[in-house]
Amino acid sequence: MKYFFSFSICLFLVLNTCAQGSWSQKASFNASGRSRAAGFTIGAKAYIGTGWDAANTVLQDFWEWDQSTDTWTQKANFDGGPRRNAVGFSIGTKGYFSTGHDGGNHVQDLWEWDQSTNTWSQKTNFPAASRQEAAGFSIGTKGYVGTGWDGTLYRDFWEWNQLTNTWTQMADFVGTPRSSAVAFSIGVKGYIGTGYDNTYTKDFWEWDQATNIWTQMADFGGSARASATGFSIGAKSYIGIGIDSNGRQQDFWEWDTATNTWAQMTNFSGVARNEVVGFSIGAYGYIGTGLDGSNYYQDFWEFTTSSVGIIENKTTSFIVYPNPSNGSFIVKSEHSKTIKEIQIRDLLGNVIIQQHSDDLASVNIMNVPVGIYLLAIVDQHNRTTYQKIEICH
């Protein structure tokens, strides 16, 4: 099956190492304020669902946010029933919720949402102990779930293969067993950090999909904490807010893969809180919902990081398909003969493939390793558009 993505975001790289990023408020989540929700992104759209509200109700509604229009649309309710503290991740045009707590019991089911049909279907259950507050992310055609608790804290780590609908146990997370950690991926590596292991933690760990080995990285730059949020943009990751021994926090930090160092960013502009949903779309990070101890929020915020030199200019539109791909990508301009050059770059910006092109081009990626890359399209005005692509042989 081929998946088609249309995008119209031109991203220009500039040098600016002093800026600390900025926050802007977007349209509020169009449902009740809540904490402990789950979410994921597919293309230029974000999804939030489930959670726990001020009436102590466990929820199962599910919503889509469109980055291009800043609008929310309700989608089909989550078919797994009401739950909180689930894991969310996406693979291609499918999104997934797994584990969590239904208000009475811990659960271990896995559900897939199809963006094209707006329908949910159940997949093979998570094979280990049912749990909540686990950590999860995806790399290529595989999803990963680990840590969490059901009264017992865990550090086991599992891989789900979308192509075979099977689970495989991977090397245990090397940090202490914990819940409420932050997790995300950059390229072919996954990251888990912070969380609660009967005390607040700040250690930060990298998992290599190729070797199945965990490596400890520099500790998170802020205080030890749990129920923070995190996401990745390019080759950098971001962690912030959450709760520590002094209460709920607003600080926000950037980690650089190249230097293994943390730098403090501009504080989150919303109220200090924990139990939020966080994710990224392209060059922007997003945080929404959450709890400050007494209030359940529905506000939604966008983070722009000037430190990686990304500025938006919505002027040119292209279509890229199929995405993910295991053989080649087709790149088509929606305006006649605007493509001058196409590049595939890794997440550090290194050029892997470079070719001159016309308004319709095929880019062969058979010899490029599996992973997440940036497709750079240079138009006749020497403006460059960046689109995240996924290669899965």
Side-chain angles (χ1 to χ4, degrees):
M1 179 179 293
K2 291 185 175 180
Y3 304 121
F4 294 78
F5 295 85
S6 178
F7 58 96
S8 58
I9 299 176
C10 292
L11 305 176
F12 292 84
L13 298 185
V14 297
L15 182 61
N16 187 344
T17 59
C18 296
Q20 298 299 306
S22 61
W23 294 92
S24 59
Q25 190 166 4
K26 313 302 287 185
S28 290
F29 177 57
N30 199 25
S32 60
R34 66 193 63 196
S35 67
R36 309 182 193 183
F40 52 78
T41 62
I42 299 175
K45 295 182 178 180
Y47 299 90
I48 295 177
T50 68
W52 174 267
D53 69 10
N56 292 328
T57 301
V58 183
L59 306 165
Q60 69 179 115
D61 54 337
F62 182 64
W63 295 78
E64 173 187 270
W65 180 74
D66 189 324
Q67 186 187 51
S68 64
T69 62
D70 190 22
T71 56
W72 292 91
T73 303
Q74 187 165 13
K75 312 304 283 187
N77 279 357
F78 172 56
D79 266 358
R83 75 181 54 190
R84 62 179 191 247
N85 295 328
V87 166
F89 59 86
S90 64
I91 299 174
T93 60
K94 309 287 179 65
Y96 299 89
F97 283 169
S98 184
T99 64
H101 195 279
D102 66 8
N105 299 290
H106 294 94
V107 294
Q108 61 189 151
D109 47 349
L110 170 68
W111 291 82
E112 175 185 88
W113 181 74
D114 189 323
Q115 187 185 54
S116 64
T117 62
N118 187 28
T119 56
W120 293 90
S121 58
Q122 190 168 5
K123 299 298 179 179
T124 303
N125 281 0
F126 177 66
S130 56
R131 65 192 67 186
Q132 63 177 313
E133 297 178 1
F137 53 81
S138 63
I139 299 175
T141 59
K142 296 175 180 179
Y144 297 90
V145 178
T147 67
W149 77 286
D150 63 358
T152 297
L153 291 166
Y154 293 101
R155 68 179 191 182
D156 53 336
F157 184 65
W158 296 80
E159 174 187 88
W160 180 73
N161 189 322
Q162 185 190 56
L163 303 178
T164 61
N165 189 25
T166 56
W167 290 91
T168 303
Q169 188 166 9
M170 309 306 289
D172 283 353
F173 172 62
V174 179
T176 54
R178 69 191 61 193
S179 64
S180 303
V182 169
F184 46 79
S185 62
I186 299 176
V188 296
K189 296 181 179 180
Y191 298 88
I192 294 178
T194 67
Y196 190 76
D197 66 356
N198 291 316
T199 187
Y200 296 112
T201 66
K202 63 184 299 182
D203 52 340
F204 183 62
W205 297 80
E206 176 185 86
W207 180 76
D208 190 324
Q209 186 186 54
T211 62
N212 190 26
I213 292 174
W214 291 93
T215 302
Q216 188 165 10
M217 311 307 287
D219 282 355
F220 168 61
S223 60
R225 68 190 63 191
S227 299
T229 193
F231 48 78
S232 62
I233 298 174
K236 296 185 178 181
S237 65
Y238 300 86
I239 295 178
I241 60 177
I243 187 168
D244 67 9
S245 58
N246 294 313
R248 289 165 177 87
Q249 301 299 316
Q250 291 176 283
D251 57 333
F252 202 68
W253 295 76
E254 175 188 85
W255 180 72
D256 190 328
T257 58
T259 61
N260 188 25
T261 55
W262 292 90
Q264 189 164 7
M265 300 285 103
T266 303
N267 280 2
F268 172 56
S269 293
V271 174
R273 68 190 70 179
N274 63 326
E275 298 177 352
V276 307
V277 176
F279 39 64
S280 61
I281 299 176
Y284 302 96
Y286 296 94
I287 291 175
T289 69
L291 171 70
D292 70 1
S294 57
N295 299 299
Y296 291 79
Y297 289 93
Q298 58 191 147
D299 52 342
F300 188 62
W301 295 81
E302 178 181 84
F303 176 72
T304 303
T305 171
S306 303
S307 63
V308 295
I310 297 175
I311 299 176
E312 181 183 41
N313 185 329
K314 298 181 178 179
T315 57
T316 309
S317 184
F318 299 95
I319 297 171
V320 178
Y321 62 92
N323 190 6
S325 176
N326 61 7
S328 64
F329 288 98
I330 303 298
V331 182
K332 184 180 185 302
S333 172
E334 291 188 337
H335 308 291
S336 178
K337 297 183 179 180
T338 59
I339 302 176
K340 179 179 177 181
E341 183 177 278
I342 295 175
Q343 303 169 357
I344 291 181
R345 301 183 181 184
D346 64 23
L347 294 181
L348 295 177
N350 301 309
V351 176
I352 307 300
I353 291 177
Q354 184 175 22
Q355 68 183 54
H356 296 285
S357 301
D358 208 330
D359 62 328
L360 178 65
S362 176
V363 185
N364 188 309
I365 45 85
M366 288 296 294
N367 296 321
V368 180
V370 168
I372 305 297
Y373 295 85
L374 294 177
L375 181 70
I377 304 169
V378 183
D379 68 14
Q380 77 272 33
H381 302 295
N382 291 319
R383 297 173 300 195
T384 304
T385 299
Y386 291 88
Q387 168 72 3
K388 184 183 289 187
I389 57 174
E390 183 177 336
I391 297 174
C392 48
H393 300 310

